[in-house]
Amino acid sequence: MPKILIVGGGYAGFYTAFKLQKHLRRGEATVTVVDPLPYMTYQPFLPEVAAGSVEPRHAIVPLRKHLKNTRVITAKVTGIDHASRTATITPEDGEPWQEEYDQIVVTAGAVSRTFPIPGVADEAIGLKTIEEATSIRDRIIANVDKASNLPAGPERDRLLTVVVVGGGFAGIEIFAELRSFVSALVGQYSSLSFEDTKFHLIEAMGRIMPEVSLPTSQWVIKNLAERGAEIHLDTQLQSAVDGKIELSTGESFESDLIIWTAGVMANPALKGTDLPLEPRGRLTVKADLRGVDADGNVVEGLWGAGDAAAVPDISGGSPLPDKSCVPNAQHAVRQGKRLAKNLVAVLRDEAPKDYFHKPAGAVAGLGLGIGAFQKGKLGITGFPAWIMHRGYHGLAMPMWERKFRVFGNWIVQFLFGRDLTAIPARDEPRVAFETFASRPAPKA
């Protein structure tokens, strides 16, 4: 049987494998998914995970549970030699091995893209994984708890100051959700007040959220300002050494939590392979998601989708200079579904179809009861947009059992309020045991 290898189990990879299970006949092909993690993360929920609105495990989809007819390998693909149709699989423990394939689907996704700004690599945290979102939540709760025992001064100010770098959708959503979260959190402490907390968002461009209209983005800025959050436009982060924030405007302050959302890049694991890549490191593909070389010729057995592929946007709605699909969940999910159908068509000597999708609009959650929506010239803000945000993403979450879990989170939150509890000790779970564990007496 033909062997199909899917590199990456994110949106595009998961949906490709899930739909292949549906479309392939018994014995028509084998499917293998390789990803370092045993689950797919629904990234639009990361801000709500960080703000305590969604339980972390409910924002992920376990691969083995839902890809029962697919071989799932928890490891990294550290090399691809398409000329010989082999990939190097490297597990966390054990020796690497060569995996042969007939068709390869590159859906390796994207990682946080940073710049060589002093202190960022040592002090900041990204927002691409469920682990990062959970850590942000625990860090904020722990910092507020520590600050409640300190007198007013620089040390307390540092613990109560949150900095987000990047004013795109991800940056604004985490910024606004955390502002809402901390406002509720400090209400539990008699020694702290709302005015003690400081929120700064740093954006190098002259506006935020380029996916929405200017009036909608200006409404978001005004709303956040009314909630005690400050947005620095046309401002660059120059240094974050030891948590001391230095801006291009000359402003300076300290923070114990710096969240980086200023861009993503294609997974660097694709570099060093013999796959055709464009200057930004993404796989070059046709609109039907088949890989193509520099001359535009189809590379047999090669497919790509999601953030790691430069998929032409034939709808004409792309804002990017190269007119490729923007890297978001809307495209990745639909590309995965189309890729599965096209791959099966090619296996059956049928013609593949081009990927075509007009975006359904952009919707953002900005804290409990507040949201923003944009579709063409139509902009909706406030509570109606928040309902639209939760409705869209609740239904877009893969698998019905996951949808029910997420909606269950929201119902419980509505009835009993936001969960403001952290478990900071889970990062070092053996400390309590080691502290009191008996040890052999030293030899005389």
Side-chain angles (χ1 to χ4, degrees):
M1 290 187 292
K3 299 177 181 178
I4 302 172
L5 178 66
I6 301 176
V7 181
Y11 298 116
F14 173 81
Y15 272 99
T16 299
F18 186 69
K19 292 300 180 180
L20 282 174
Q21 290 185 155
K22 177 181 178 181
H23 300 313
L24 286 171
R25 303 186 187 108
R26 183 182 296 273
E28 190 171 12
T30 64
V31 181
T32 299
V33 174
V34 183
D35 193 279
L37 299 172
Y39 51 79
M40 185 213 87
T41 302
Y42 190 71
Q43 293 183 4
F45 280 153
L46 293 182
E48 292 208 46
V49 170
S53 295
V54 174
E55 212 281 331
R57 291 176 300 171
H58 299 168
I60 60 177
V61 180
L63 299 180
R64 289 184 176 85
K65 179 179 177 66
H66 297 288
L67 300 178
K68 295 181 179 179
N69 298 325
T70 299
R71 178 187 173 209
V72 176
I73 300 175
T74 305
K76 294 180 180 179
V77 174
T78 53
I80 298 174
D81 185 354
H82 193 63
S84 63
R85 304 291 176 97
T86 59
T88 303
I89 311 296
T90 305
E92 185 173 352
D93 296 308
E95 296 297 321
W97 74 88
Q98 300 297 310
E99 185 80 16
E100 296 182 352
Y101 63 83
D102 298 292
Q103 305 279 340
I104 188 169
V105 178
V106 179
T107 53
V111 299
S112 296
R113 181 192 64 180
T114 59
F115 305 104
I117 300 172
V120 167
D122 301 316
E123 302 292 337
I125 185 171
L127 191 68
K128 291 291 290 179
T129 69
I130 198 72
E131 293 82 4
E132 288 173 324
T134 305
S135 178
I136 289 170
R137 178 174 175 269
D138 287 350
R139 171 80 73 85
I140 283 184
I141 297 175
N143 282 358
V144 171
D145 204 43
K146 293 175 185 176
S148 67
N149 296 322
L150 296 174
E155 188 176 355
R156 190 172 79 164
D157 290 343
R158 175 189 173 96
L159 291 170
L160 297 177
T161 299
V162 176
V163 175
V164 175
V165 184
F169 249 67
I172 290 297
E173 284 195 294
I174 186 66
F175 187 65
E177 287 285 356
L178 292 182
R179 174 69 277 184
S180 175
F181 178 58
V182 172
S183 297
L185 185 61
V186 295
Q188 295 187 330
Y189 297 86
S190 58
S191 59
L192 298 176
S193 67
F194 171 86
E195 290 73 20
D196 293 327
T197 60
K198 301 291 186 296
F199 276 71
H200 298 271
L201 184 135
I202 303 166
E203 170 54 48
M205 305 298 289
R207 61 163 297 178
I208 61 169
M209 304 172 73
E211 300 89 344
V212 305
S213 67
L214 186 59
T216 300
S217 69
Q218 290 173 337
W219 182 92
V220 172
I221 292 175
K222 180 180 178 181
N223 176 268
L224 286 168
E226 292 172 349
R227 293 157 59 188
E230 186 174 357
I231 295 179
H232 306 261
L233 298 178
D234 293 315
T235 304
Q236 295 180 342
L237 176 65
Q238 293 189 327
S239 177
V241 176
D242 296 328
K244 183 178 181 180
I245 305 299
E246 295 182 4
L247 305 180
S248 58
T249 58
E251 296 176 77
S252 179
F253 46 86
E254 293 192 17
S255 171
D256 193 64
L257 179 58
I258 305 165
I259 304 170
W260 181 274
T261 64
V264 297
M265 64 180 181
N267 195 319
L270 301 182
K271 297 179 180 179
T273 67
D274 63 349
L275 302 180
L277 306 179
E278 45 91 77
R280 293 174 58 186
R282 298 176 298 171
L283 184 73
T284 55
V285 299
K286 292 179 61 179
D288 61 12
L289 305 175
R290 289 184 293 177
V292 293
D293 61 21
D295 298 322
N297 301 313
V298 172
V299 179
E300 296 297 330
L302 177 61
W303 302 81
D307 295 357
V311 180
D313 187 350
I314 61 176
S315 73
S318 174
L320 302 179
D322 62 356
K323 300 304 177 184
S324 63
C325 295
V326 296
N328 62 24
Q330 275 192 52
H331 282 301
V333 168
R334 291 168 175 79
Q335 287 169 11
K337 295 178 180 180
R338 169 47 55 193
L339 196 157
K341 292 181 179 179
N342 283 356
L343 204 163
V344 172
V346 168
L347 291 178
R348 298 172 183 171
D349 295 324
E350 300 172 2
K353 296 181 180 180
D354 287 346
Y355 168 74
F356 178 88
H357 171 65
K358 285 190 174 182
V363 62
L366 305 173
L368 292 182
I370 307 171
F373 170 81
Q374 190 75 44
K375 171 68 173 177
K377 294 183 180 180
L378 174 64
I380 301 175
T381 55
F383 185 74
W386 180 73
I387 293 295
M388 295 169 70
H389 169 267
R390 287 210 159 173
Y392 174 80
H393 284 297
L395 294 175
M397 180 71 187
M399 316 314 299
W400 280 104
E401 61 100 2
R402 294 283 127 176
K403 299 181 201 292
F404 281 119
R405 293 178 191 274
V406 169
F407 278 109
N409 287 168
W410 292 336
I411 292 171
V412 170
Q413 183 186 62
F414 175 77
L415 294 174
F416 302 105
R418 196 198 302 261
D419 191 340
L420 302 174
T421 307
I423 311 176
R426 65 178 157 192
D427 292 334
E428 297 178 327
R430 295 190 67 252
V431 169
F433 178 80
E434 288 183 280
T435 301
F436 302 102
S438 298
R439 292 174 170 79
K443 292 182 180 180

